[in-house]
Amino acid sequence: MKKILIVGSTGQIGSELSVKLRSLYGNDNVVCGYYTPPFPEGFFEQGSTEKIDATNIEEIAQTVKKYHIDTIYNLAAILSVVAEKNPDLAWNVGVGSLRNCLDVAREYRCAVCTPSSIGVFGPATPKDLTPQDTIQRPKTIYGITKVVGELISDYYFDHWQVDTRSVRLPGIISNVTLPGGGTTDYAVEIFYKAVAGEKFSCPIKAGTFMDMMYMPDALDAMINLMEADPGRLIHRNAFNVTSMSLEPEMLYAAIRQRIPEFRMEYAVSELKQSIAESWPNVLDDSCARNEWDWNPKFDLEKMTDDMIRVLRQKKSKVNE
Ligand code: AKB
């Protein structure tokens, strides 16, 4: 059985990845490293937790040693919009924590998964069916840290056989923990507003396509890749994955089919729009499909049904 450490387990992805990993590998085999709240329900009760500053290598090393960890999911990151406002922090967290995880992994023979992002692409990248191997000249500091992350992860594999694997995640739509400071956050916020019965101000222009994915598929992507037969992997860091390419009007229409009174207006953010325009419209994820059978389950319709169902349940619990 694997012994897993999640670094950054209280964020948008970590709060759900920890539950899924514990259900698959057992509570005792998954250690949740946390730095900041909010703490998901039952977080401290369900298994081991350790306060870890990912920029401090000693804190990672001690935890890996203490629990005999063999696999690290490193989720420490500053998302694209916040990163533009604080490039030093973005670099220290994005690159610093990854180097720490890789160095600890090299010493203690751990596998490492650090999600990359569609942010690794830039204006010179082909926008439609963006290939797996193509131009990566991002204009954001977030994208730059993710390109460095991909390259350094491959380097640790090539030189020291550290088992590094990763996916280029698109915008993740979820209903447990809000994302913080990304360009694709609007695709989550729109659902919270719709279910709350409020109007939504969309920061991204109509017609701006970006890849998106529902959280259950994102969790499967990371876990299935880490479980994949290494003999089949031609690529490692990082695989294109997507499940839908959306622009705001498509989400608005899907929500209004289910909540007809919902209204959206536009209040476009210059920064978010310029980042969105520099990212692909839709990725070609055929390498992930061929090399480790990537096959997402949620399309726009299924995801919209589920998001509204879960958020309505949460709302009625709060109102009880
Ligand atoms: C962001 O918008 O910054 C992230 C991402 C696509 O990596 N959600």
Side-chain angles (χ1 to χ4, degrees):
M1 189 58 83
K2 282 190 195 302
K3 279 275 185 188
I4 297 171
L5 168 64
I6 306 172
V7 175
S9 64
T10 57
Q12 184 197 12
I13 297 176
S15 58
E16 297 200 50
L17 183 66
S18 50
V19 174
K20 174 96 188 197
L21 288 174
R22 282 181 165 162
S23 75
L24 291 173
Y25 300 102
N27 287 355
D28 294 342
N29 294 318
V30 179
V31 179
C32 287
Y34 65 92
Y35 189 57
T36 46
F39 301 111
E41 222 180 283
F43 180 75
F44 291 104
E45 288 79 47
Q46 277 155 15
S48 301
T49 56
E50 291 284 335
K51 186 155 203 264
I52 296 177
D53 173 357
T55 62
N56 181 333
I57 192 166
E58 271 316 305
E59 294 186 14
I60 301 172
Q62 275 164 18
T63 308
V64 164
K65 218 164 111 180
K66 177 173 167 188
Y67 294 95
H68 307 287
I69 297 296
D70 57 36
T71 304
I72 302 173
Y73 283 84
N74 168 34
L75 305 177
I78 304 293
L79 294 185
S80 54
V81 176
V82 174
E84 282 310 292
K85 295 175 184 160
N86 198 340
D88 289 338
L89 180 70
W91 183 268
N92 292 340
V93 173
V95 179
S97 63
L98 173 56
R99 280 302 301 277
N100 289 342
C101 288
L102 291 171
D103 283 334
V104 171
R106 184 180 165 198
E107 187 174 346
Y108 293 96
R109 306 311 306 161
C110 304
V112 181
C113 175
T114 303
S116 186
S117 161
I118 52 173
V120 295
F121 299 116
T125 305
K127 278 188 101 56
D128 293 312
L129 288 178
T130 304
Q132 172 67 38
D133 301 309
T134 186
I135 301 166
Q136 291 182 259
R137 304 286 295 177
K139 292 288 180 198
T140 62
I141 187 70
Y142 174 69
I144 292 166
T145 65
K146 289 296 183 191
V147 174
V148 171
E150 291 189 1
L151 296 176
I152 195 78
S153 296
D154 273 346
Y155 188 88
Y156 273 66
F157 173 69
D158 293 339
H159 288 259
W160 299 303
Q161 297 76 51
V162 178
D163 186 1
T164 54
R165 309 178 187 191
S166 171
V167 284
R168 292 178 181 139
L169 290 177
I172 305 300
I173 300 174
S174 67
N175 48 47
V176 174
T177 305
L178 283 167
T183 305
T184 57
D185 292 9
Y186 90 90
V188 179
E189 289 156 2
I190 190 172
F191 283 100
Y192 278 79
K193 288 288 186 189
V195 171
E198 292 170 24
K199 196 183 218 181
F200 177 59
S201 286
C202 185
I204 300 293
K205 274 187 201 161
T208 311
F209 281 87
M210 285 183 280
D211 285 294
M212 300 281 173
M213 186 180 292
Y214 196 34
M215 182 65 90
D217 280 327
L219 302 182
D220 281 350
M222 287 183 279
I223 295 168
N224 293 349
L225 173 59
M226 293 312 281
E227 288 289 352
D229 171 3
R232 286 180 63 197
L233 300 182
I234 298 163
H235 299 86
R236 278 186 167 261
N237 301 285
F239 283 90
N240 283 2
V241 283
T242 185
S243 35
M244 48 196 128
S245 167
L246 301 180
E247 57 89 30
E249 290 293 320
M250 290 167 74
L251 269 171
Y252 184 39
I255 294 172
R256 282 195 63 187
Q257 269 175 16
R258 289 138 178 107
I259 309 177
E261 63 281 12
F262 176 54
R263 292 290 175 271
M264 179 172 89
E265 62 188 9
Y266 287 92
V268 173
S269 147
E270 217 177 289
L271 175 59
K272 289 183 183 176
Q273 183 63 30
S274 72
I275 297 175
E277 282 175 15
S278 77
W279 288 355
N281 294 335
V282 56
L283 302 184
D284 170 359
D285 61 4
S286 52
C287 289
R289 290 173 188 269
N290 294 335
E291 292 175 41
W292 48 277
D293 307 320
W294 161 241
N295 188 15
K297 296 180 187 68
F298 286 88
D299 60 11
L300 174 59
E301 297 305 320
K302 273 177 82 175
M303 177 273 291
T304 304
D305 281 338
D306 205 55
M307 276 296 282
I308 292 174
R309 180 185 64 76
V310 175
L311 290 178
R312 277 185 171 149
Q313 265 174 11
K314 278 176 89 167
K315 191 179 163 197
S316 63
K317 256 195 183 171
V318 170
N319 294 339
E320 262 168 22

PDB file of all heavy atoms in Angstrom, residues 118 170-173 183-188 208-214 241-247 251 281 298 303:
ATOM      1  N   ILE A 118      -2.738  24.611 -17.841  1.00  0.00           N
ATOM      2  CA  ILE A 118      -2.840  25.193 -19.181  1.00  0.00           C
ATOM      3  C   ILE A 118      -2.065  26.515 -19.240  1.00  0.00           C
ATOM      4  O   ILE A 118      -1.784  27.011 -20.326  1.00  0.00           O
ATOM      5  CB  ILE A 118      -4.309  25.440 -19.596  1.00  0.00           C
ATOM      6  CG1 ILE A 118      -5.073  26.244 -18.529  1.00  0.00           C
ATOM      7  CG2 ILE A 118      -5.003  24.124 -19.881  1.00  0.00           C
ATOM      8  CD1 ILE A 118      -6.476  26.683 -18.942  1.00  0.00           C
ATOM      9  N   PRO A 170      -6.653  22.017 -16.552  1.00  0.00           N
ATOM     10  CA  PRO A 170      -7.367  23.210 -17.013  1.00  0.00           C
ATOM     11  C   PRO A 170      -8.065  23.865 -15.821  1.00  0.00           C
ATOM     12  O   PRO A 170      -7.739  23.560 -14.669  1.00  0.00           O
ATOM     13  CB  PRO A 170      -8.379  22.609 -17.989  1.00  0.00           C
ATOM     14  CG  PRO A 170      -8.638  21.228 -17.501  1.00  0.00           C
ATOM     15  CD  PRO A 170      -7.386  20.781 -16.764  1.00  0.00           C
ATOM     16  N   GLY A 171      -9.024  24.741 -16.048  1.00  0.00           N
ATOM     17  CA  GLY A 171      -9.806  25.324 -14.955  1.00  0.00           C
ATOM     18  C   GLY A 171     -10.606  24.213 -14.290  1.00  0.00           C
ATOM     19  O   GLY A 171     -11.275  23.447 -14.971  1.00  0.00           O
ATOM     20  N   ILE A 172     -10.523  24.127 -12.959  1.00  0.00           N
ATOM     21  CA  ILE A 172     -11.225  23.054 -12.244  1.00  0.00           C
ATOM     22  C   ILE A 172     -12.502  23.610 -11.618  1.00  0.00           C
ATOM     23  O   ILE A 172     -12.461  24.568 -10.840  1.00  0.00           O
ATOM     24  CB  ILE A 172     -10.327  22.444 -11.140  1.00  0.00           C
ATOM     25  CG1 ILE A 172      -8.995  21.962 -11.725  1.00  0.00           C
ATOM     26  CG2 ILE A 172     -11.057  21.306 -10.438  1.00  0.00           C
ATOM     27  CD1 ILE A 172      -9.117  20.903 -12.796  1.00  0.00           C
ATOM     28  N   ILE A 173     -13.622  22.982 -11.971  1.00  0.00           N
ATOM     29  CA  ILE A 173     -14.926  23.392 -11.435  1.00  0.00           C
ATOM     30  C   ILE A 173     -15.257  22.462 -10.271  1.00  0.00           C
ATOM     31  O   ILE A 173     -15.189  21.240 -10.423  1.00  0.00           O
ATOM     32  CB  ILE A 173     -15.996  23.331 -12.550  1.00  0.00           C
ATOM     33  CG1 ILE A 173     -15.583  24.290 -13.675  1.00  0.00           C
ATOM     34  CG2 ILE A 173     -17.370  23.677 -11.997  1.00  0.00           C
ATOM     35  CD1 ILE A 173     -16.445  24.239 -14.917  1.00  0.00           C
ATOM     36  N   THR A 183      -7.537  32.546 -13.093  1.00  0.00           N
ATOM     37  CA  THR A 183      -8.229  33.151 -14.233  1.00  0.00           C
ATOM     38  C   THR A 183      -9.528  32.411 -14.533  1.00  0.00           C
ATOM     39  O   THR A 183     -10.500  32.991 -15.012  1.00  0.00           O
ATOM     40  CB  THR A 183      -7.298  33.107 -15.463  1.00  0.00           C
ATOM     41  OG1 THR A 183      -6.071  33.738 -15.093  1.00  0.00           O
ATOM     42  CG2 THR A 183      -7.902  33.802 -16.665  1.00  0.00           C
ATOM     43  N   THR A 184      -9.539  31.104 -14.245  1.00  0.00           N
ATOM     44  CA  THR A 184     -10.717  30.290 -14.567  1.00  0.00           C
ATOM     45  C   THR A 184     -11.731  30.248 -13.420  1.00  0.00           C
ATOM     46  O   THR A 184     -12.743  29.552 -13.529  1.00  0.00           O
ATOM     47  CB  THR A 184     -10.274  28.845 -14.897  1.00  0.00           C
ATOM     48  OG1 THR A 184      -9.539  28.324 -13.787  1.00  0.00           O
ATOM     49  CG2 THR A 184      -9.410  28.792 -16.146  1.00  0.00           C
ATOM     50  N   ASP A 185     -11.479  30.986 -12.339  1.00  0.00           N
ATOM     51  CA  ASP A 185     -12.365  30.923 -11.153  1.00  0.00           C
ATOM     52  C   ASP A 185     -13.809  31.273 -11.485  1.00  0.00           C
ATOM     53  O   ASP A 185     -14.734  30.838 -10.798  1.00  0.00           O
ATOM     54  CB  ASP A 185     -11.895  31.902 -10.060  1.00  0.00           C
ATOM     55  CG  ASP A 185     -10.568  31.498  -9.443  1.00  0.00           C
ATOM     56  OD1 ASP A 185      -9.925  30.572  -9.965  1.00  0.00           O
ATOM     57  OD2 ASP A 185     -10.168  32.136  -8.450  1.00  0.00           O
ATOM     58  N   TYR A 186     -14.016  32.079 -12.534  1.00  0.00           N
ATOM     59  CA  TYR A 186     -15.384  32.508 -12.846  1.00  0.00           C
ATOM     60  C   TYR A 186     -16.309  31.314 -13.081  1.00  0.00           C
ATOM     61  O   TYR A 186     -17.512  31.368 -12.772  1.00  0.00           O
ATOM     62  CB  TYR A 186     -15.385  33.435 -14.084  1.00  0.00           C
ATOM     63  CG  TYR A 186     -15.532  32.704 -15.403  1.00  0.00           C
ATOM     64  CD1 TYR A 186     -16.795  32.453 -15.944  1.00  0.00           C
ATOM     65  CD2 TYR A 186     -14.420  32.232 -16.108  1.00  0.00           C
ATOM     66  CE1 TYR A 186     -16.933  31.755 -17.146  1.00  0.00           C
ATOM     67  CE2 TYR A 186     -14.554  31.542 -17.286  1.00  0.00           C
ATOM     68  CZ  TYR A 186     -15.807  31.306 -17.808  1.00  0.00           C
ATOM     69  OH  TYR A 186     -15.948  30.618 -18.977  1.00  0.00           O
ATOM     70  N   ALA A 187     -15.727  30.224 -13.591  1.00  0.00           N
ATOM     71  CA  ALA A 187     -16.537  29.054 -13.924  1.00  0.00           C
ATOM     72  C   ALA A 187     -17.022  28.317 -12.678  1.00  0.00           C
ATOM     73  O   ALA A 187     -17.922  27.485 -12.756  1.00  0.00           O
ATOM     74  CB  ALA A 187     -15.738  28.105 -14.814  1.00  0.00           C
ATOM     75  N   VAL A 188     -16.435  28.628 -11.530  1.00  0.00           N
ATOM     76  CA  VAL A 188     -16.920  28.103 -10.251  1.00  0.00           C
ATOM     77  C   VAL A 188     -17.884  29.119  -9.644  1.00  0.00           C
ATOM     78  O   VAL A 188     -18.995  28.788  -9.218  1.00  0.00           O
ATOM     79  CB  VAL A 188     -15.739  27.864  -9.273  1.00  0.00           C
ATOM     80  CG1 VAL A 188     -16.247  27.339  -7.946  1.00  0.00           C
ATOM     81  CG2 VAL A 188     -14.727  26.913  -9.892  1.00  0.00           C
ATOM     82  N   THR A 208     -14.729  33.808 -25.024  1.00  0.00           N
ATOM     83  CA  THR A 208     -13.354  33.449 -24.647  1.00  0.00           C
ATOM     84  C   THR A 208     -13.348  31.997 -24.163  1.00  0.00           C
ATOM     85  O   THR A 208     -13.812  31.692 -23.059  1.00  0.00           O
ATOM     86  CB  THR A 208     -12.831  34.374 -23.516  1.00  0.00           C
ATOM     87  OG1 THR A 208     -13.077  35.723 -23.879  1.00  0.00           O
ATOM     88  CG2 THR A 208     -11.345  34.149 -23.257  1.00  0.00           C
ATOM     89  N   PHE A 209     -12.815  31.122 -24.997  1.00  0.00           N
ATOM     90  CA  PHE A 209     -12.811  29.694 -24.653  1.00  0.00           C
ATOM     91  C   PHE A 209     -11.588  29.339 -23.817  1.00  0.00           C
ATOM     92  O   PHE A 209     -10.483  29.814 -24.086  1.00  0.00           O
ATOM     93  CB  PHE A 209     -12.788  28.841 -25.926  1.00  0.00           C
ATOM     94  CG  PHE A 209     -14.132  28.728 -26.583  1.00  0.00           C
ATOM     95  CD1 PHE A 209     -14.572  29.689 -27.497  1.00  0.00           C
ATOM     96  CD2 PHE A 209     -14.977  27.662 -26.284  1.00  0.00           C
ATOM     97  CE1 PHE A 209     -15.817  29.585 -28.098  1.00  0.00           C
ATOM     98  CE2 PHE A 209     -16.219  27.554 -26.877  1.00  0.00           C
ATOM     99  CZ  PHE A 209     -16.651  28.517 -27.791  1.00  0.00           C
ATOM    100  N   MET A 210     -11.829  28.491 -22.807  1.00  0.00           N
ATOM    101  CA  MET A 210     -10.717  27.867 -22.060  1.00  0.00           C
ATOM    102  C   MET A 210     -11.129  26.443 -21.707  1.00  0.00           C
ATOM    103  O   MET A 210     -12.313  26.153 -21.558  1.00  0.00           O
ATOM    104  CB  MET A 210     -10.426  28.646 -20.764  1.00  0.00           C
ATOM    105  CG  MET A 210      -9.695  29.957 -20.969  1.00  0.00           C
ATOM    106  SD  MET A 210      -9.313  30.788 -19.393  1.00  0.00           S
ATOM    107  CE  MET A 210     -10.887  31.570 -19.010  1.00  0.00           C
ATOM    108  N   ASP A 211     -10.131  25.571 -21.554  1.00  0.00           N
ATOM    109  CA  ASP A 211     -10.429  24.207 -21.122  1.00  0.00           C
ATOM    110  C   ASP A 211     -10.863  24.211 -19.665  1.00  0.00           C
ATOM    111  O   ASP A 211     -10.327  24.964 -18.847  1.00  0.00           O
ATOM    112  CB  ASP A 211      -9.175  23.327 -21.256  1.00  0.00           C
ATOM    113  CG  ASP A 211      -8.882  22.974 -22.695  1.00  0.00           C
ATOM    114  OD1 ASP A 211      -9.695  22.253 -23.295  1.00  0.00           O
ATOM    115  OD2 ASP A 211      -7.851  23.448 -23.221  1.00  0.00           O
ATOM    116  N   MET A 212     -11.825  23.323 -19.369  1.00  0.00           N
ATOM    117  CA  MET A 212     -12.329  23.179 -17.997  1.00  0.00           C
ATOM    118  C   MET A 212     -12.502  21.702 -17.686  1.00  0.00           C
ATOM    119  O   MET A 212     -12.577  20.859 -18.596  1.00  0.00           O
ATOM    120  CB  MET A 212     -13.703  23.862 -17.845  1.00  0.00           C
ATOM    121  CG  MET A 212     -13.720  25.341 -18.139  1.00  0.00           C
ATOM    122  SD  MET A 212     -13.086  26.319 -16.771  1.00  0.00           S
ATOM    123  CE  MET A 212     -13.065  27.948 -17.567  1.00  0.00           C
ATOM    124  N   MET A 213     -12.651  21.409 -16.393  1.00  0.00           N
ATOM    125  CA  MET A 213     -12.824  20.005 -15.968  1.00  0.00           C
ATOM    126  C   MET A 213     -13.535  19.997 -14.624  1.00  0.00           C
ATOM    127  O   MET A 213     -13.282  20.860 -13.778  1.00  0.00           O
ATOM    128  CB  MET A 213     -11.440  19.378 -15.827  1.00  0.00           C
ATOM    129  CG  MET A 213     -11.452  17.904 -15.525  1.00  0.00           C
ATOM    130  SD  MET A 213      -9.764  17.291 -15.398  1.00  0.00           S
ATOM    131  CE  MET A 213      -9.198  17.432 -17.083  1.00  0.00           C
ATOM    132  N   TYR A 214     -14.416  19.019 -14.442  1.00  0.00           N
ATOM    133  CA  TYR A 214     -15.082  18.868 -13.142  1.00  0.00           C
ATOM    134  C   TYR A 214     -14.128  18.151 -12.189  1.00  0.00           C
ATOM    135  O   TYR A 214     -13.374  17.252 -12.600  1.00  0.00           O
ATOM    136  CB  TYR A 214     -16.382  18.084 -13.330  1.00  0.00           C
ATOM    137  CG  TYR A 214     -17.341  18.175 -12.169  1.00  0.00           C
ATOM    138  CD1 TYR A 214     -17.456  19.339 -11.405  1.00  0.00           C
ATOM    139  CD2 TYR A 214     -18.165  17.101 -11.840  1.00  0.00           C
ATOM    140  CE1 TYR A 214     -18.355  19.420 -10.350  1.00  0.00           C
ATOM    141  CE2 TYR A 214     -19.068  17.174 -10.790  1.00  0.00           C
ATOM    142  CZ  TYR A 214     -19.151  18.335 -10.047  1.00  0.00           C
ATOM    143  OH  TYR A 214     -20.051  18.413  -9.006  1.00  0.00           O
ATOM    144  N   VAL A 241      -4.559  17.397 -20.449  1.00  0.00           N
ATOM    145  CA  VAL A 241      -5.840  16.727 -20.154  1.00  0.00           C
ATOM    146  C   VAL A 241      -6.949  17.766 -20.225  1.00  0.00           C
ATOM    147  O   VAL A 241      -6.763  18.906 -19.792  1.00  0.00           O
ATOM    148  CB  VAL A 241      -5.862  16.054 -18.752  1.00  0.00           C
ATOM    149  CG1 VAL A 241      -5.095  14.748 -18.736  1.00  0.00           C
ATOM    150  CG2 VAL A 241      -5.366  16.985 -17.652  1.00  0.00           C
ATOM    151  N   THR A 242      -8.077  17.379 -20.763  1.00  0.00           N
ATOM    152  CA  THR A 242      -9.229  18.283 -20.764  1.00  0.00           C
ATOM    153  C   THR A 242     -10.507  17.463 -20.800  1.00  0.00           C
ATOM    154  O   THR A 242     -10.479  16.279 -21.149  1.00  0.00           O
ATOM    155  CB  THR A 242      -9.193  19.260 -21.957  1.00  0.00           C
ATOM    156  OG1 THR A 242     -10.287  20.184 -21.826  1.00  0.00           O
ATOM    157  CG2 THR A 242      -9.287  18.541 -23.300  1.00  0.00           C
ATOM    158  N   SER A 243     -11.629  18.095 -20.402  1.00  0.00           N
ATOM    159  CA  SER A 243     -12.897  17.395 -20.625  1.00  0.00           C
ATOM    160  C   SER A 243     -13.934  18.274 -21.285  1.00  0.00           C
ATOM    161  O   SER A 243     -14.910  17.770 -21.827  1.00  0.00           O
ATOM    162  CB  SER A 243     -13.438  16.766 -19.345  1.00  0.00           C
ATOM    163  OG  SER A 243     -13.174  17.524 -18.228  1.00  0.00           O
ATOM    164  N   MET A 244     -13.769  19.598 -21.246  1.00  0.00           N
ATOM    165  CA  MET A 244     -14.678  20.478 -21.991  1.00  0.00           C
ATOM    166  C   MET A 244     -13.992  21.814 -22.254  1.00  0.00           C
ATOM    167  O   MET A 244     -13.190  22.277 -21.440  1.00  0.00           O
ATOM    168  CB  MET A 244     -15.994  20.676 -21.241  1.00  0.00           C
ATOM    169  CG  MET A 244     -15.840  21.020 -19.789  1.00  0.00           C
ATOM    170  SD  MET A 244     -17.368  20.793 -18.863  1.00  0.00           S
ATOM    171  CE  MET A 244     -16.830  19.768 -17.498  1.00  0.00           C
ATOM    172  N   SER A 245     -14.313  22.404 -23.394  1.00  0.00           N
ATOM    173  CA  SER A 245     -13.806  23.740 -23.706  1.00  0.00           C
ATOM    174  C   SER A 245     -15.015  24.666 -23.636  1.00  0.00           C
ATOM    175  O   SER A 245     -15.975  24.502 -24.382  1.00  0.00           O
ATOM    176  CB  SER A 245     -13.200  23.732 -25.104  1.00  0.00           C
ATOM    177  OG  SER A 245     -12.975  25.060 -25.528  1.00  0.00           O
ATOM    178  N   LEU A 246     -14.955  25.655 -22.703  1.00  0.00           N
ATOM    179  CA  LEU A 246     -16.149  26.483 -22.444  1.00  0.00           C
ATOM    180  C   LEU A 246     -15.836  27.958 -22.593  1.00  0.00           C
ATOM    181  O   LEU A 246     -14.712  28.394 -22.347  1.00  0.00           O
ATOM    182  CB  LEU A 246     -16.641  26.261 -21.018  1.00  0.00           C
ATOM    183  CG  LEU A 246     -17.028  24.841 -20.606  1.00  0.00           C
ATOM    184  CD1 LEU A 246     -17.494  24.833 -19.158  1.00  0.00           C
ATOM    185  CD2 LEU A 246     -18.110  24.288 -21.519  1.00  0.00           C
ATOM    186  N   GLU A 247     -16.874  28.721 -22.962  1.00  0.00           N
ATOM    187  CA  GLU A 247     -16.822  30.187 -22.867  1.00  0.00           C
ATOM    188  C   GLU A 247     -18.034  30.588 -22.016  1.00  0.00           C
ATOM    189  O   GLU A 247     -18.964  29.779 -21.842  1.00  0.00           O
ATOM    190  CB  GLU A 247     -16.788  30.811 -24.270  1.00  0.00           C
ATOM    191  CG  GLU A 247     -17.942  30.448 -25.178  1.00  0.00           C
ATOM    192  CD  GLU A 247     -19.125  31.383 -25.039  1.00  0.00           C
ATOM    193  OE1 GLU A 247     -18.911  32.555 -24.715  1.00  0.00           O
ATOM    194  OE2 GLU A 247     -20.256  30.918 -25.264  1.00  0.00           O
ATOM    195  N   LEU A 251     -21.757  28.358 -20.288  1.00  0.00           N
ATOM    196  CA  LEU A 251     -22.063  28.062 -18.890  1.00  0.00           C
ATOM    197  C   LEU A 251     -23.368  28.732 -18.479  1.00  0.00           C
ATOM    198  O   LEU A 251     -24.209  28.135 -17.801  1.00  0.00           O
ATOM    199  CB  LEU A 251     -20.930  28.593 -18.001  1.00  0.00           C
ATOM    200  CG  LEU A 251     -19.796  27.620 -17.702  1.00  0.00           C
ATOM    201  CD1 LEU A 251     -18.665  28.331 -17.007  1.00  0.00           C
ATOM    202  CD2 LEU A 251     -20.296  26.475 -16.812  1.00  0.00           C
ATOM    203  N   ASN A 281      -7.594  27.523 -26.511  1.00  0.00           N
ATOM    204  CA  ASN A 281      -9.057  27.324 -26.530  1.00  0.00           C
ATOM    205  C   ASN A 281      -9.392  25.901 -26.118  1.00  0.00           C
ATOM    206  O   ASN A 281     -10.318  25.659 -25.369  1.00  0.00           O
ATOM    207  CB  ASN A 281      -9.614  27.540 -27.942  1.00  0.00           C
ATOM    208  CG  ASN A 281      -9.460  28.967 -28.400  1.00  0.00           C
ATOM    209  OD1 ASN A 281      -9.387  29.884 -27.581  1.00  0.00           O
ATOM    210  ND2 ASN A 281      -9.407  29.159 -29.713  1.00  0.00           N
ATOM    211  N   PHE A 298     -17.215  13.580 -17.053  1.00  0.00           N
ATOM    212  CA  PHE A 298     -18.189  14.678 -16.973  1.00  0.00           C
ATOM    213  C   PHE A 298     -18.064  15.631 -18.153  1.00  0.00           C
ATOM    214  O   PHE A 298     -16.990  16.184 -18.402  1.00  0.00           O
ATOM    215  CB  PHE A 298     -17.991  15.467 -15.675  1.00  0.00           C
ATOM    216  CG  PHE A 298     -18.496  14.734 -14.458  1.00  0.00           C
ATOM    217  CD1 PHE A 298     -17.664  13.847 -13.779  1.00  0.00           C
ATOM    218  CD2 PHE A 298     -19.798  14.907 -14.004  1.00  0.00           C
ATOM    219  CE1 PHE A 298     -18.125  13.154 -12.659  1.00  0.00           C
ATOM    220  CE2 PHE A 298     -20.263  14.220 -12.883  1.00  0.00           C
ATOM    221  CZ  PHE A 298     -19.424  13.345 -12.215  1.00  0.00           C
ATOM    222  N   MET A 303     -21.852  17.847 -15.587  1.00  0.00           N
ATOM    223  CA  MET A 303     -21.195  18.660 -14.559  1.00  0.00           C
ATOM    224  C   MET A 303     -22.177  19.697 -14.007  1.00  0.00           C
ATOM    225  O   MET A 303     -22.271  19.905 -12.791  1.00  0.00           O
ATOM    226  CB  MET A 303     -19.964  19.338 -15.181  1.00  0.00           C
ATOM    227  CG  MET A 303     -19.200  20.271 -14.288  1.00  0.00           C
ATOM    228  SD  MET A 303     -19.837  21.944 -14.298  1.00  0.00           S
ATOM    229  CE  MET A 303     -19.428  22.497 -15.925  1.00  0.00           C
TER     230      MET A 303
END
